């Protein structure tokens, strides 16, 4: 393209070696990078424009990419994560250099810990200016190295071609490996320079089919599962790619399914074989230990999910994972089945059905197994969940009775989430509960809810968090109002950091630094332009109904 736009370097920006205004051709490296992302279907990016990131913003309108300006870069990366889970594409964060990039890293670390795809784009110091300690704007010693300590890959590229290739490679890795966030730092002079790649190079590339497992491994898994009488399935986030095939497998084996929080909704949680996402409960541990085969699909079986429990079954452990190192993590497998669950679960189904058709010892057929009666174990798990936190259980049940079945619920590392919503919110489909059980950060819920609502405006989205957590990202209430989102936010106020207060008491420490002075939450919401709704436990259901019917953003404040 021959059209040119002329801009003048902003005061305080990186040094312009020529010392004068530069003329930027329309198709810069920044544009080539965004063309590549748009080709893969990404139509939304999150971030805050900055002096050094302007060229990322120039082509957005023309490319049909919507920029979402949050009030903090941490909110941008959390919002991108929520958008990504609901849309099924990597979330994209554009930051400026220095503090903008570093502010976004909590969201990047969340994506890393929870195995979610994310792409961070940032400008860097011009080529040849690396490590120059001269006091330039946003000067950072080695930003790419700092980010590399947190994400899957962080690279300072040397050309548009390298940046574009990184995106293509990342998209393929997201599809065929454990998804981890990546960061691309583009030196400012390269970012603003003519792209050294033809437009054809930015076109999306075929990602290929999901990788199946070796036939011998599948055969070993089929034999172990067919021989079992009381199998159980543990489904993690890596199981979600299997889609409806996972439910087919569970029904064929008459195997109950319990999930991690990232796998929540892998099968509908009101299905007769679902035990929900209560892997933390001792009742669940006891049940898993009583089974004679355990099939783990796409989970590292992390301690943050188990809360220290032992789930070793009486029979073999079969593990399916896209990464072999994950199959060897925390729970030793008897049978390893490496591959993408999207391909492996159908392989297991085919193997089990073929065995049934062939007849003989150990044959599996839908009619050959007795459907387990899970009412007793489900009731026991439900009761244990109430015992942990009866008030949080009650308020979650009140809310879940009101919200529509297709609601997306966003929480964070609040007690109301991990001791309430994970148990009492029955997810109909995956990614209905936005949560991060491993990284366990505060401040995630509100921006993640914003990202989810942008990704699925037709679905109800509700943010349910504690007061301490909400204060970490309260500024994003303004983002929701500005975007005109119909978004109820429910703030459960226990006066501060309730869990840490209890931890102190348990260790005979007089509570210190955990009881927080509270704002007038209703007036605070109104000051942002949202609707404020005070609630008690007696009026909570009515207030949530009102919030769901309210046009725009609303905040329900419940003090417990």
């Amino acid at each position: 393209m021959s059209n040119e736009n002329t801009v003048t370097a902003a005061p305080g920006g990186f040094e312009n070696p020529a010392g004068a205004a530069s003329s930027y051709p329309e198709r810069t490296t920044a544009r080539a990078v965004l063309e590549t992302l748009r080709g893969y279907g990404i139509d939304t990016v999150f971030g805050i424009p900055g002096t050094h990131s302007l060229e990322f913003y120039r082509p957005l309108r023309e490319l049909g990419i919507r920029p979402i300006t949050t009030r903090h870069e941490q909110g941008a990366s959390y919002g991108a994560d929520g958008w990504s889970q609901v849309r099924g594409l990597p979330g994209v964060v554009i930051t400026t250099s220095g503090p903008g990039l570093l502010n976004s890293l909590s969201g990047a670390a969340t994506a890393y810990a929870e195995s979610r795809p994310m792409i961070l784009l940032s400008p860097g110091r011009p080529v040849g200016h690396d490590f120059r300690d001269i006091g330039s704007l946003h000067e950072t010693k080695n930003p790419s190295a700092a980010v590399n300590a947190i994400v899957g890959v962080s690279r300072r590229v040397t050309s548009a071609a390298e940046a574009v290739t990184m995106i293509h490679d990342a998209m393929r890795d997201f599809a065929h490996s454990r998804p981890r966030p990546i960061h691309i730092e583009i030196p400012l002079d390269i970012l603003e320079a003519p792209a050294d790649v033809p437009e054809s190079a930015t076109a999306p590339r075929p990602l290929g089919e999901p990788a199946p497992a070796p036939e011998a491994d599948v055969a070993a898994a089929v034999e172990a599962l067919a021989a079992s009488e009381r199998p159980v399935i543990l489904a993690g986030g890596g199981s979600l790619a299997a889609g409806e095939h996972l439910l087919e497998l569970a029904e064929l084996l008459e195997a109950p399914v319990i999930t991690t929080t990232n796998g929540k909704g892998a099968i509908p949680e009101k299905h007769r074989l679902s035990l929900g996402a209560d892997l933390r409960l001792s009742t669940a541990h006891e049940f898993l230990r009583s089974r004679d085969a355990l099939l783990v699909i796409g989970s590292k079986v992390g301690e943050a999910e188990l809360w220290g429990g032992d789930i070793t079954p009486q029979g073999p452990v079969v593990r399916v994972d896209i990464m072999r190192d994950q199959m060897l993590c925390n729970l030793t497998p008897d049978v390893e089945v490496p591959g993408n669950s999207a391909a492996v679960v159908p392989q297991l189904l085919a193997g089990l059905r073929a065995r049934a058709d062939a007849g003989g010892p150990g044959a599996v057929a839908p009619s050959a197994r007795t459907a387990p009666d899970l009412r007793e174990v489900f009731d026991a798990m439900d009761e244990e969940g109430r015992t942990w936190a009866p008030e949080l259980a009650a308020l979650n049940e009140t809310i879940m009775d009101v919200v529509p079945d297709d609601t997306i619920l966003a929480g964070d590392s609040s007690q109301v989430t991990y001791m309430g919503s994970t148990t009492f919110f029955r997810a109909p489909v995956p990614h209905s509960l936005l949560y991060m059980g491993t990284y366990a950060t505060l401040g995630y819920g509100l921006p993640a809810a914003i990202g989810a609502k942008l990704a699925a405006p037709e679905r109800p989205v509700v943010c349910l968090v504690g007061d301490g957590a909400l204060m970490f990202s309260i500024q994003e209430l303004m983002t929701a109002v500005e975007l005109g989102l119909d978004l109820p936010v429910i703030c459960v106020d226990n006066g501060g950091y309730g869990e840490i207060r209890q931890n102190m008491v348990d260790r005979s420490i007089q509570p210190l630094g955990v009881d927080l002075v509270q704002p007038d939450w209703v007036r605070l919401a109104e000051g942002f332009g949202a609707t404020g709704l005070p609630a008690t436990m007696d009026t909570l259901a009515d207030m949530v109904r009102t919030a769901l019917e309210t046009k725009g953003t609303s905040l329900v404040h419940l003090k417990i």
Side-chain angles (χ1 to χ4, degrees), residues 427-444:
V429 294
H431 301 304
S432 293
L433 176 66
L434 306 181
Y435 180 59
M436 15 31 58
T438 298
Y439 199 64
T441 182
L442 293 174
Y444 174 86

Side-chain angles (χ1 to χ4, degrees), residues 520-542:
D520 183 325
W521 286 97
V522 170
R523 292 177 64 187
L524 178 66
E526 292 170 346
F528 277 110
T531 300
L533 299 167
T536 64
M537 283 298 294
D538 291 336
T539 64
L540 178 60
D542 288 338

Side-chain angles (χ1 to χ4, degrees), residues 412-427:
D412 62 18
S413 194
S414 300
Q415 288 179 307
V416 69
T417 301
Y418 61 79
M419 297 177 74
S421 303
T422 54
T423 297
F424 298 102
F425 174 53
R426 313 298 184 196

Side-chain angles (χ1 to χ4, degrees), residues 430-489:
H431 301 304
S432 293
L433 176 66
L434 306 181
Y435 180 59
M436 15 31 58
T438 298
Y439 199 64
T441 182
L442 293 174
Y444 174 86
L446 176 53
I450 291 171
K453 189 65 178 178
L454 290 166
E458 74 286 356
R459 289 181 65 182
V461 178
V462 174
C463 175
L464 173 59
V465 293
D467 59 291
L470 187 54
M471 267 299 181
F472 271 64
S473 58
I474 189 63
Q475 68 277 1
E476 303 309 342
L477 200 64
M478 194 72 253
T479 305
V481 170
E482 179 180 67
L483 293 168
L485 300 181
D486 296 336
L487 178 63
V489 179

Side-chain angles (χ1 to χ4, degrees), residues 52-260:
H52 299 145
S53 62
L54 298 180
E55 284 307 307
F56 281 125
Y57 283 79
R58 185 190 298 276
L60 292 181
R61 282 194 182 93
E62 186 178 344
L63 293 174
I65 299 175
R66 183 182 187 185
I68 303 301
T69 301
T70 55
R71 281 1 188 220
H72 192 285
E73 286 90 357
Q74 188 175 103
S77 54
Y78 291 154
D81 185 72
W83 182 92
S84 171
Q85 290 184 71
V86 175
R87 183 61 70 86
L89 292 167
V92 174
V93 182
I94 297 176
T95 75
T96 193
S97 52
L101 173 62
L102 299 185
N103 281 344
S104 72
L105 293 190
S106 186
T110 298
Y112 183 90
E114 311 301 334
S115 301
R116 296 173 187 159
M118 179 181 288
I119 297 173
L120 295 93
L121 303 173
S122 73
R125 303 186 72 186
V127 174
H129 289 216
D130 317 41
F131 308 113
R132 291 183 65 190
D133 187 9
I134 57 176
S136 60
L137 182 67
H138 299 331
E139 188 170 83
T140 308
K141 181 181 178 182
N142 192 342
S144 187
V147 180
N148 199 49
I150 293 171
V151 303
V153 174
S154 174
R155 184 177 303 153
R156 177 177 164 89
V157 299
T158 59
S159 66
E162 187 179 357
V164 165
T165 297
M166 274 196 74
I167 292 173
H168 288 309
D169 290 347
M171 295 302 294
R172 188 169 183 84
D173 286 345
F174 293 153
H176 295 285
S177 185
R178 186 182 184 191
R180 282 317 199 4
I182 73 159
H183 167 237
I184 305 174
E185 178 187 336
I186 308 177
L188 188 63
D189 50 338
I190 293 175
L191 183 74
E192 299 175 342
D196 59 355
V197 291
E199 292 188 29
S200 60
T202 66
R205 299 174 183 174
L207 299 180
E209 296 300 317
E215 291 183 9
D217 295 329
V218 174
V222 166
E223 182 175 355
L225 295 171
S228 68
E229 296 180 355
R230 302 183 313 282
V232 63
I233 297 172
L234 169 55
S239 75
L240 301 182
E244 294 180 357
H245 295 300
L246 178 61
L247 181 56
E248 290 181 51
L249 180 63
E251 290 177 337
L252 181 67
L253 291 169
E254 287 294 349
V257 178
I258 190 166
T259 77
T260 65

